[in-house]
Amino acid sequence: MSSGFDTISENLRLQQIYATLGSFGAETLMENTPLVGPRRRMQRWVHRLPEPVPEYSTATRTRVLLEGLGPTYVKMGQIVSSQVNVLPDDWRVELDRLQNEVPTFPYAMVREIIIEELGAPPEELYAEFSETPLAAASLAQVHRARLHDGREVAVKVQRPNLDQHVKADLGVTQTAGRAMEARSQWAREIGLRGMLDEFSTNLIEELDYYGEAYNMARLASNMSELPGVSVPQLYRELSSRRVLTQEFIVGVKISDLEAIDAAGLDRGVLGTNALRAAIKMLLIDGFFHADPHPGNLYVDLTDGHVTFLDCGMVGELSVAQRINLLALLWTVVNGDMTAMASQLR
């Protein structure tokens, strides 16, 4: 049961969501009326823009909407963006931007969080620390830095006041899920409430970087004998609940096929190495990286090494679940539809 404070936070957050959705709806309706032309000219005049106000696609406006709704909804958009095979090209491009083009927050806040978490400012803890973020994601942003021994690192700093914001969002989404299941057969059939509960549990766990540090160490150990794959090295002494310092990884997203081909790398080898790692995680170890979208798989263009980034979201399968999954795969290989249906059930 939610506390009184949680209920107040959820209600306030719900009002913010209504306001953002209302603004988005008004913008969408305006785009389909004769007033859109005069409105754009007025916007250009008021804001003194040198160029006409561009006409944005629905996909672009949806991406901006998710950014406006905040970290929780950006994370949902990132999950959707990983389904590249079922998305139209324009939607894939726009949602893909949510993986590493989310608005940043000021360096002053970054510095304050590092002092709170690690007990000293960045200029003392690191030999060099870039004030300009290297990338920004839904829950954090990353800064490039150098240790006093010369090693380059990436420092992930959680967004300020994220706990309260995310918990309020998740309370709203779970309430909405329960309401939709009570009123919609479709929502009950797909298990919407269960999906949202699972998403909420994983997202809350992602807010604690001690958990991610554990995941990194365990995945690194499990992958240590596999060729061509790894997770970044963790620097525990410079990590805490909201700050994570890890090895700096040079490369491109695994979806950047143009750069991979230009480097002369064999796609088949890359795919085999990544697939071998996935099979080992799922079927042998039962402990797997649960957020492997292209932004979290980086390829080193010098040797084709694949690194699994962002280990905040993981999953576990029991021995019985792994055996059932193997049995399901065996029915697929043999083309036995009856056995496949039975195994799925």
Side-chain angles (χ1 to χ4, degrees):
M1 182 178 293
S2 298
S3 67
F5 180 77
D6 288 340
T7 301
I8 293 172
S9 296
E10 289 175 19
N11 288 335
L12 290 173
R13 182 61 182 139
L14 189 57
Q15 294 303 313
Q16 294 175 338
I17 292 171
Y18 283 154
T20 304
L21 291 175
S23 176
F24 176 77
E27 290 280 345
T28 302
L29 288 174
M30 184 67 72
E31 287 293 318
N32 297 314
T33 70
L35 297 175
V36 64
R39 182 171 182 270
R40 287 194 184 131
R41 289 192 290 273
M42 179 64 73
Q43 287 175 326
R44 184 182 180 186
W45 179 75
V46 169
H47 297 288
R48 299 181 179 179
L49 300 176
E51 301 291 337
V53 177
E55 180 179 353
Y56 294 113
S57 67
T58 302
T60 300
R61 283 184 277 123
T62 301
R63 189 258 304 167
V64 173
L65 169 67
L66 293 174
E67 291 176 350
L69 287 172
T72 308
Y73 297 90
V74 169
K75 190 69 178 179
M76 290 181 179
Q78 289 176 340
I79 293 173
V80 173
S81 75
S82 65
Q83 308 303 310
V84 294
N85 293 329
V86 298
L87 290 173
D89 288 343
D90 58 335
W91 283 84
R92 176 184 55 78
V93 170
E94 286 299 329
L95 294 182
D96 187 59
R97 296 178 63 183
L98 294 174
Q99 294 176 9
N100 52 17
E101 295 184 25
V102 181
T104 62
F105 57 94
Y107 173 71
M109 292 183 176
V110 172
R111 189 175 185 275
E112 182 179 339
I113 291 170
I114 289 178
I115 291 173
E116 290 177 1
E117 293 291 315
L118 302 181
E123 58 267 24
E124 293 182 16
L125 296 171
Y126 305 90
E128 297 176 16
F129 192 96
S130 174
E131 295 186 9
T132 303
L134 182 68
S138 55
L139 307 181
Q141 67 186 30
V142 179
H143 291 256
R144 191 168 185 169
R146 188 183 301 275
L147 302 181
H148 291 289
D149 63 8
R151 286 177 291 182
E152 286 194 282
V153 294
V155 184
K156 183 163 74 169
V157 182
Q158 192 174 104
R159 291 183 176 274
N161 305 315
L162 194 62
D163 280 3
Q164 180 180 340
H165 198 148
V166 167
K167 287 176 182 177
D169 276 346
L170 294 178
V172 170
T173 58
Q174 288 174 316
T175 300
R178 289 192 294 270
M180 290 183 68
E181 281 205 353
R183 294 169 172 79
S184 169
Q185 177 68 24
W186 168 82
R188 290 192 293 272
E189 288 176 351
I190 67 169
L192 180 62
R193 182 178 174 182
M195 291 168 60
L196 291 174
D197 286 345
E198 182 76 11
F199 173 77
S200 300
T201 299
N202 287 329
L203 192 55
I204 290 295
E205 290 177 355
E206 276 198 80
L207 300 181
D208 186 350
Y209 290 169
Y210 285 122
E212 182 170 352
Y214 167 79
N215 298 340
M216 291 175 68
R218 186 170 173 183
L219 288 172
S221 176
N222 291 347
M223 290 187 188
S224 60
E225 298 180 359
L226 296 180
V229 293
S230 65
V231 298
Q233 179 184 351
L234 171 72
Y235 296 93
R236 289 186 180 276
E237 67 280 6
L238 292 172
S239 299
S240 68
R241 192 180 71 85
R242 294 193 295 159
V243 177
L244 193 73
T245 302
Q246 61 185 31
E247 171 191 4
F248 184 81
I249 302 299
V250 178
V252 299
K253 291 194 293 187
I254 199 168
S255 59
D256 192 347
L257 300 181
E258 184 177 342
I260 290 172
D261 291 340
L265 298 176
D266 188 331
R267 293 191 200 178
V269 173
L270 296 182
T272 297
N273 290 342
L275 181 60
R276 184 185 290 115
I279 291 174
K280 186 174 188 297
M281 286 189 286
L282 283 166
L283 301 181
I284 299 176
D285 304 323
F287 184 80
F288 59 92
H289 191 300
D291 192 21
H293 62 72
N296 283 342
L297 291 173
Y298 258 54
V299 177
D300 188 330
L301 295 180
T302 61
D303 58 8
H305 192 91
V306 179
T307 303
F308 286 74
L309 302 174
D310 194 356
C311 302
M313 189 179 292
V314 297
E316 291 194 67
L317 295 175
S318 66
V319 173
Q321 287 172 322
R322 279 174 267 165
I323 291 173
N324 286 333
L325 185 56
L326 278 169
L328 175 62
L329 292 174
W330 183 251
T331 64
V332 173
V333 170
N334 290 329
D336 189 337
M337 301 301 291
T338 302
M340 190 187 308
S342 175
Q343 192 61 40
L344 280 170
R345 182 175 58 82

